Amino acid sequence: EVQLVESGGGLVQPGGSLRLSCAASGFTFSSYWMSWVRQAPGKGLEWVANIKQDGSEKYYVDSVKGRFTISRDNAKNSLYLQMNSLRAEDTAVYYCASSASSSSWWNYWGQGTLVTVSS
Amino acid sequence: EIVMTQSPATLSVSPGERATLSCRASQSVSSNLAWYQQKPGQAPRLLIYGASTRATGIPARFSGSGSGTEFTLTISSLQSEDFAVYYCQQYNNWPPRLTFGGGTKVEIK
């Protein structure tokens, strides 16, 4: 059974940092592009970032460029999102998700982890 | 950025009736469009990709159509478990700038 389990969310002050993790199991993690997609409370979905199978390519939505860094460790079947200089508008549930290519749909999703940026 | 617009925002339908959801792209995305279903407190679930191909395990009552800028998701006979929010997503650009529509909530009439 495919599982994606996010962790690391919580309450952080504006300007602070947080690192999200996503543990994958049940599929060949190293064969898939991986992404972070977020959803602000009561709002729609927004793609945040994705990363190639070997980590050699990374893409970001403009609003997080220079502040967020996506990375992965295929030996640990894990995906990460380092979030710096956090803003109130970054408050959201963050989902990790897998896809077959960089510009594609997402077939598997985790249950999400909530990040709240507030003083 | 390709802007995706879904209509209506809310659709009230009785169980057993047909539901038709629309998604429009600000420029052509060819057939590079997916649909997702999301229930409260849950992650999105992939329904359709390639505008019309059902994902694994998705019932035949869900169908997708369209290409270019106009797309439709049809649920032929609504079941109780189908009341949810539906999102379209385009994946046509390079480098990837993946965008979603604002969603259509399908509620019980």
Side-chain angles (χ1 to χ4, degrees):
Chain A
E1 179 194 4
V2 172
Q3 279 200 313
L4 293 169
V5 180
E6 301 91 338
S7 61
L11 175 64
V12 60
Q13 292 189 336
S17 298
L18 212 54
R19 189 195 195 206
L20 305 183
S21 299
C22 171
S25 60
F27 68 107
T28 307
F29 178 76
S30 59
S31 295
Y32 286 83
W33 281 77
M34 294 298 298
S35 301
W36 290 97
V37 177
R38 67 185 178 182
Q39 186 170 36
K43 302 298 183 182
L45 299 164
E46 181 183 39
W47 166 73
V48 174
N50 58 10
I51 184 170
K52 193 176 181 179
Q53 291 90 333
D54 62 359
S56 61
E57 295 181 36
K58 305 174 184 181
Y59 301 97
Y60 301 89
V61 69
D62 287 347
S63 60
V64 308
K65 279 182 185 176
R67 300 189 299 123
F68 290 12
T69 302
I70 189 172
S71 62
R72 65 192 296 164
D73 185 337
N74 288 341
K76 295 182 178 179
N77 288 341
S78 293
L79 175 72
Y80 307 101
L81 186 67
Q82 177 67 43
M83 303 186 295
N84 299 331
S85 303
L86 282 160
R87 306 167 180 166
E89 54 265 35
D90 296 319
T91 294
V93 173
Y94 285 73
Y95 297 100
C96 67
S98 64
S99 63
S101 66
S102 61
S103 200
S104 180
W105 61 91
W106 294 281
N107 48 0
Y108 299 120
W109 295 69
Q111 284 304 302
T113 187
L114 176 63
V115 173
T116 303
V117 184
S118 174
S119 55
Chain B
E1 176 183 309
I2 299 175
V3 177
M4 307 301 292
T5 303
Q6 291 187 241
S7 61
T10 304
L11 186 62
S12 298
V13 185
S14 299
E17 288 188 341
R18 181 186 195 93
T20 302
L21 289 66
S22 296
C23 175
R24 174 177 292 179
S26 61
Q27 64 189 77
S28 176
V29 298
S30 186
S31 295
N32 296 315
L33 185 105
W35 289 94
Y36 301 86
Q37 176 194 69
Q38 187 179 34
K39 297 179 181 179
Q42 295 186 16
R45 177 175 72 143
L46 176 68
L47 298 176
I48 301 282
Y49 60 91
S52 60
T53 302
R54 276 190 302 278
T56 303
I58 301 303
R61 64 180 181 271
F62 291 92
S63 63
S65 63
S67 65
T69 61
E70 301 283 344
F71 300 89
T72 301
L73 175 70
T74 301
I75 311 171
S76 59
S77 176
L78 271 158
Q79 307 297 303
S80 58
E81 61 267 30
D82 300 335
F83 292 96
V85 179
Y86 293 83
Y87 294 96
C88 61
Q89 175 238 332
Q90 68 79 22
Y91 49 94
N92 189 64
N93 38 21
W94 180 265
R97 294 293 182 266
L98 310 169
T99 52
F100 292 88
T104 291
K105 181 180 181 181
V106 177
E107 64 176 25
I108 301 174
K109 187 174 182 180

